[in-house]
Amino acid sequence: IDLRTRELIAIAALAASGRAGPQLRVHVESAAMSGISKQEVVEVLMQIALFAGFPAALNALSDCHDLLTDDNCLTAACG
């Protein structure tokens, strides 16, 4: 399989584990170099909620929030 697909699979698997925040961040950072948009990463992480549960998906989104947004704020009241 191509590198882009491998990165998406790695992101999904690491997010589903719920315990691999540092490794997940490495693959999310690498995703852009593989032509994967931030929106596509978010979509993958949202799919994880259906298959691995909301806690795993929320942990993954929290672990990578700063990589997936233009700011470093976790609440709507920031900024």
Side-chain angles (χ1 to χ4, degrees):
I1 57 176
D2 64 342
L3 181 59
R4 184 179 193 285
T5 304
R6 270 187 274 164
E7 283 296 343
L8 289 171
I9 292 169
I11 290 168
L14 291 167
S17 80
R19 300 180 306 271
Q23 296 84 357
L24 177 62
R25 287 181 60 83
V26 168
H27 285 280
V28 170
E29 288 174 337
S30 298
M33 292 182 279
S34 301
I36 301 168
S37 71
K38 291 178 181 181
Q39 182 60 36
E40 288 174 299
V41 172
V42 170
E43 290 289 332
V44 167
L45 296 178
M46 295 310 298
Q47 286 296 311
I48 292 304
L50 299 172
F51 297 100
F54 282 102
L58 292 177
N59 286 344
L61 286 167
S62 178
D63 288 340
C64 298
H65 179 268
D66 61 315
L67 301 175
L68 299 172
T69 61
D70 294 331
D71 59 48
N72 195 18
C73 180
L74 291 174
T75 67
C78 293

